[in-house]
Amino acid sequence: MSSLFRKGFFAMLPITVGIIPFGAVMGSVAAEAGLSLWQSSAMNLFVFAGASQLATLDLMDQQAPWFVILATGFVINARFFLYSAAFAPWAKESPTAMKMLSSFFLTDQSYAAMSSQEAHFKTSRDGLSFYLGACLCMFFAWHGSVTLGFIFGNFAPSSWNLDFAIPLSFMSLLVPSLKNRKYAAVALFSSFISVLLSGLPLKLGLLSTAIVSLIFVKLFLLRKTTWKIFGSSS
Amino acid sequence: MENFWLIILGLGIGTFLIRFSFVGFSHRFHITPDWKELFSYIPACLFPALIVPGLFFDQGQVQWLWGKEKLIVALLALGVSALTRSILWTLGSGLLVLYILR
């Protein structure tokens, strides 16, 4: 086990403070919806994306048609297109099996944990090791907390406001990636847009905020050069 | 729940394909410095949308802060985060202050 893998694992530990209460809710909701522990665990394993799991479980409980359930799940998870694009450079030189494994574990938190440490990685392999360590920690935290939530119900003491740990940890993962004023300005801009777009259903506010903000970056902050998608850089 | 396994399988495969989309073909295209620079803005474009709306629209319990205690504590925690660069300090101070306020 490389030291970066271990570092990634431990970097994720504090972030699990926010993940565990969410998993507890997920597990208790799955139990209330009448899923067996097997079904709940299988959903966790195959989908591994909390927000979409909660929403689709609710729809299944309401006997919604299967295509509505699938479409809802995919729309909520469409933000992973962006994470996939952002993560692609790190997995670029890896064999296909590693690309598949690292994609499978791609979550908001594991990407955020890696991107916040970006400046410290010498090679893309370093970043990948750190990321995989973070993923393993995330995996244990998510499966453990959902299983416990399934068995014991929602166990997180509500007076501790542990759900507040989610925005706090994203904030502290965002700060290191604000390298200069330009990045800080973009973060302010997207904060503003996210409030405006928060009324959109299915967490679409998230993806649309990111797209509007990226267009803002492209139009106003990047050098004006001819852009190439394929082929060598100019 | 009928169809449960088919739905889970479909959801799992579809979600995996979304995650794999760009990663899977990353070796096929050359990522130019322009794209790299644009990608470097993704955290700044995406994370605020995970953070801000939930805090902004939260209707809290502390009356003298108009129920906006989460938003205010988060701004304090932003300062802590910028100073210490530590998740533990940010989480610890944020959760503690919110607990005391409530």
Side-chain angles (χ1 to χ4, degrees), chain A residues 160-224:
Chain A
W160 292 7
N161 301 303
L162 288 178
D163 54 329
F164 189 49
I166 293 180
L168 288 180
S169 54
F170 276 120
M171 220 165 63
S172 93
L173 293 171
L174 171 63
V175 167
S177 64
L178 305 178
K179 285 168 257 186
N180 55 43
R181 283 183 190 176
K182 274 187 183 179
Y183 289 83
V186 172
L188 264 179
F189 176 83
S190 70
S191 301
F192 181 68
I193 299 292
S194 73
V195 169
L196 290 183
L197 297 180
S198 65
L200 295 178
L202 297 176
K203 318 233 165 204
L204 274 174
L206 189 64
L207 186 62
S208 38
T209 298
I211 290 169
V212 170
S213 307
L214 282 169
I215 293 170
F216 170 81
V217 170
K218 171 70 187 87
L219 290 180
F220 298 110
L221 295 177
L222 297 187
R223 290 164 288 120
K224 303 279 185 287

Side-chain angles (χ1 to χ4, degrees), chain A residues 79-102:
Chain A
R79 68 185 188 286
F80 290 125
F81 279 122
L82 277 177
Y83 288 122
S84 185
F87 179 66
W90 302 94
K92 198 177 169 205
E93 276 127 48
S94 306
T96 307
M98 178 53 85
K99 286 195 175 96
M100 292 173 87
L101 184 78
S102 53

Side-chain angles (χ1 to χ4, degrees), chain A residues 161-172 174 187 191-192 194-196 198, chain B residues 47-62 65-79 90-91 94-95 98 102:
Chain A
N161 301 303
L162 288 178
D163 54 329
F164 189 49
I166 293 180
L168 288 180
S169 54
F170 276 120
M171 220 165 63
S172 93
L174 171 63
S191 301
F192 181 68
S194 73
V195 169
L196 290 183
S198 65
Chain B
F47 296 161
L50 288 166
I51 304 164
V52 180
L55 301 176
F56 190 82
F57 292 109
D58 180 63
Q59 201 45 58
Q61 306 153 9
V62 182
L65 293 173
W66 307 283
K68 292 299 170 200
E69 65 267 17
K70 274 193 182 173
L71 193 62
I72 291 158
V73 176
L75 282 172
L76 289 175
L78 182 65
T90 310
L91 278 184
L95 288 173
L98 186 67
R102 282 189 169 172

